[in-house]
Amino acid sequence: MKETKRKKDGRQSVSYAKWGYIFIAPFFLVYFVFTLIPQFLTIYNSFFETYRDGLKQIGPNFVGLQNYITLFTPDADGIIRILKYASNTMIMWVAGALPQFVIALLLAIFFTSYRLNIKGQGFFKTVIYMPNLIMAAAFSMLFFTLFTRGGPIQMYLAETGAINQTFDFFSNRVTVRGMIALMNFLMWFGNTTIVLMAGIMGIDQSLFESATLDGANAVQVFFKVTMPLLMPIFVYCLITAMIGGIQMFDVPQVLTKGNGAPDELSRTLVMYLNGYLTNKNYGMAGAISVIIFIITGILGGIVYKMLSAQYKDPEQK
Amino acid sequence: MAEVKLVNIKKVYPHSEEKKKSKKKDAPQKKTNLQITAEGVVAVQEFNLDIANKEFIVLVGPSGCGKSTTLRMVAGLEEISGGELYIDGELMNAVAPKDRDIAMVFQNYALYPHMSVYDNMAFSLKLKHLPKAEIDQKVREAAEILDITEYLNRKPKALSGGQRQRVAIGRAIVRAPKVMLMDEPLSNLDAKLRNEMRAEIIKLRERIDTTFIYVTHDQTEAMTLGDRIVVMKDGYIQQIGTPQEVFNHPANLFVAGFIGMPVMNFFDAELIREGDRFFVEPDGHRVELSEEKAARLKANGVQSQAVTLGVRPDHTDLTEEGISCKVDVTELMGASAHLHANVDGRDMILIVSTQDTKKIPMRGDEIHFSFDGDVAHVFSKEDEHNLEW
Amino acid sequence: MNKHMSQNTKGMIQLFILRFFAYAILIFLCILCLFFFYLMVVNSTRSNAQLARGFSLLPKEHFLENLVNAWNDASINIPRGMLNSLIIALSTAVLTTYFSALTAYGIHVYDFKFKKLAFTFIMAVMMIPAQVSALGFVQMMNKLHLNNSFIPLIIPGIAAPVVFFYMKQYMESVLPLEIIDAARVDGSNEFHTFNTIVLPILKPAIAVQMIFSFVSSWNNYFIPALLLDKAELKTVPIMIAQLRSADYSKFDMGKVYMFILLSILPVMITYIILSKSIIRGVTAGSVKG
């Protein structure tokens, strides 16, 4: 490179390296301005007391780790809110993700089974993937209108006697969380099915054939051949789903009008963050952001490890 | 038309880039013995070559020898790490490919998949902002030469391998470049098509007046196409010469083994000097070297020593006496027969004419063979160079 | 012989049961996926009074009426919201795909000192969600007076690690470096090569990613809700959330269903037309086995 940089004949260099920098520059510039600086600002804010008291602006005053301490100190009701919201988030995520992965695995196997030879796969896939593209806010609003008191489903169930006339889906912990989990399940199981299916199809078909000829039945083939080979993709799906779960916001926010009813039992971490953001309590919002950042950072690190493993040896791809 | 001059050209891949480069077919691989310095892997070094106007030069060597890298440096697709490249007397080291007035044909054709054949060929001319009519005329002319006129509106996907290769060549010749570079253009074709296209390139060469630099790993292509061939190994030039020179006077053991089909036979032998006369003695069978050879050996001050003796399979004759061995396999090829045998642990092949030989020796037969003194090559045991050099 | 027959019959019965079971599950899931949307569509054809009377699976004749009412609603300006969302989503889709392809190309084709570092960096930040820097982002945009502007919703799309990764993977499978060399020898400069040779080759990947980024921008609620408070700038998801917070009992329910229908309609239409390539696009860009 140094040789031509001298530009012996005074004309352009034949080195193409500079084009690499030029082509990636917009990405890094934008990332720096719109993500990296905000990220640092967020962390910076978490060490300051900054909030509005009525019309009065308090702070910013440097308070060190006070915001974090406050976050993990029981409030007047004796509740550590962040832990409560974290457990809400986790419960609702698990309630949606468990059926999501079980069903997705089952469907992926149905679709790839040579023996079953499922017809109309295109149609089925189109239908089950569709909810993934639906605006979460709209989906949630739809659930609200359908299940609210006087809404068609609530009325129908009350008429048939399945529920009490006065039953309110939105004042019951189980039904609210259940609806949120159901929506998350509906929105994501199709996506997971398709990814896992691609994973199964990526496995050398002859392995299944030889296992079958070796006398393995369908269940044995699944546990002894399919699952071990599918593991990397399965884990990747699971972790990205977890990262998505931590971000759970639109659905519960719209469904409960942002209050996490009943009794804040459907309030998620990001709803908590959003609350402080809209109140302009930037100190607390910063501290929550940092905590979410750390959790997703750890999970994202695992995903990164998995993705870069396939890049370690590009020749062997 | 142009003279191309390469002076002490060198290519070093810095260590960090090594990995990526090794993806390419002709770049340093673990198998080869490329020199590794603090700077990185040296893919090409001490490359000196003067190419005359309209000359057809073939760079030939095994994969990883640096031949493609050299070509890509001439094209301006790789930086030149050291040395100077001149085209028509002008220094080209830092000139962009588009300003070098060269064209290149790639191994995988590298046709633009979304453009028709016509647009593929017209692309470079459009970039030069030539008038439409002129572009059209040039494209049609080139298509005519290559017999692809009827495919001009097709997409590359709709063509066979041979047709794609013609288009790739067409794309290069429409520009009437000073230098035409070809990087293993025939290696993706099957054997029959390859022979056809080889003949096609020979014809093409007569029609377009330009300098060719052609890279191949196939010694047959090198022998049939080149005015001169440059044999490379491990980043170094081994020998430069006309095909006949390289064939008849290989500079070293590597060139001797690489050029010629079937491969030259090698034996362990004694070289014996008796005054001005030289003899080789493989397996106790003594053959006197020709006067010409003796004179060169004498001029080099060569003394008696153990050598590697090389004799091409078609230069061996069945004799009553001579070196004895047993036939392992006989391959009948029609006009000739290839006898595979083993002498002192080294495999060898003898070619005998089926017409002139009364009884073709078969598996298990004991045979004796010898050779003439003007076709024996003697190579140093120490550094494998041809002692005549 | 007889024993063989019975073995075969046994296998057939087994397979029949398996198939029945599989189809039953699939059909149930499909109904579950479609049920709520079907109700939405049906309810959007019913008047408020009809809706109050209860549950029905049959459409009525008030569709146009509801559409007109929703379209002309005074408090929720849905046509304006759809236009805003459309502008943002389309611009984002174009910028994201173009610059992701450009970035991936820069890293795929060129050799430069910080190439590995750049790639590692993008991969490392790929999974970090936008929420965790939202605070600083909103603060900064307020300082720059870019709140109530579409710029902070569009420009950041230039740096989309996931789309970058998809493009990089795609290039590895379809873009031979020889083509780029050929273009160089033909006299094309690097930008020209990218725009005229590489982009057309990447067309399928760009199409798929344009759809995905359009959809995610169209559906995006969290960040726009924090930035936009002027009525005429609000996007569809903000309006939907607004609908939820409004005094609900006064609403014409037929209109509400129509709002929801309108909010997902553009995405649904795109999906119905292009579902095949969208589904194909889902799988690329994830871990390989």
Side-chain angles (χ1 to χ4, degrees), chain C residues 6-7 20 34 71 75 101 107 152 155 182 270 279:
Chain C
S6 69
Q7 274 281 356
F20 179 81
L34 293 174
W71 198 257
S75 60
I107 286 183
I155 299 297
T270 317
I279 288 173

Side-chain angles (χ1 to χ4, degrees), chain A residues 1-4 7-9 11-16 312-315, chain B residues 19 22-23 76-77 79-81 90-91 93-97 99-100:
Chain A
M1 196 195 279
K2 277 164 209 142
E3 290 284 335
T4 40
K7 295 186 183 176
K8 288 175 202 163
D9 60 352
R11 291 212 263 166
Q12 73 264 60
S13 157
V14 121
S15 160
Y16 294 105
K312 220 171 254 165
D313 217 350
E315 292 102 289
Chain B
K19 202 164 189 184
S22 62
K23 263 200 275 189
L77 296 169
E79 273 188 273
I80 298 172
S81 310
E90 257 192 87
L91 183 65
N93 283 38
V95 177
D99 301 323
R100 292 190 186 195

Side-chain angles (χ1 to χ4, degrees), chain B residues 177-189:
Chain B
K178 271 188 189 169
V179 187
M180 175 78 108
L181 308 174
M182 298 183 139
D183 189 2
E184 307 242 13
L186 306 185
S187 61
N188 276 5
L189 303 175

Side-chain angles (χ1 to χ4, degrees), chain B residues 95-159:
Chain B
V95 177
K98 63 184 166 86
D99 301 323
R100 292 190 186 195
D101 203 357
I102 43 133
M104 186 156 168
V105 178
F106 295 86
Q107 179 177 6
N108 298 319
Y109 322 132
L111 298 176
Y112 311 125
H114 58 295
M115 295 184 190
S116 68
V117 168
Y118 185 97
D119 289 335
N120 262 286
M121 290 168 68
F123 185 67
S124 66
L125 303 177
K126 281 182 188 162
L127 288 171
K128 280 192 198 160
H129 302 292
L130 293 188
K132 259 206 168 130
E134 196 183 335
I135 294 178
D136 191 64
Q137 186 211 335
K138 287 190 173 189
V139 170
R140 288 188 190 282
E141 253 175 45
E144 199 63 41
I145 292 177
L146 291 159
D147 209 10
I148 49 174
T149 309
E150 53 184 311
Y151 311 123
L152 279 177
N153 292 320
R154 290 207 199 157
K155 290 269 173 72
K157 225 191 289 175
L159 302 180

Side-chain angles (χ1 to χ4, degrees), chain A residues 16 21 23 31 33 42 45 115-116 119 126 133 135 145 155 236 247 254-255 282 286 304 307 311 317, chain C residues 19 23 52 54 105 113 120 125-126 129 131 135-136 139-140 172 184 219 244 248 263 271 287-288:
Chain A
Y16 294 105
Y21 291 110
F23 279 20
Y31 191 85
V33 172
T42 304
N45 265 288
R115 203 165 124 86
L116 274 177
K119 297 281 189 318
T126 304
L133 297 179
M135 181 188 297
T145 49
M155 278 161 80
Y236 169 85
Q247 299 171 57
V254 172
L255 196 71
Y282 286 159
Y304 167 75
L307 287 178
Y311 269 94
K317 283 209 335 177
Chain C
R19 280 214 179 113
Y23 279 109
Y105 183 77
K113 211 171 158 197
T120 308
V125 301
M126 192 155 83
Q131 282 105 325
L135 161 59
Q139 215 179 26
M140 200 167 114
E172 270 159 28
R184 279 176 191 157
N219 293 344
R244 173 70 182 88
Y248 194 73
S263 71
Y271 182 62
V287 173
K288 291 176 201 152

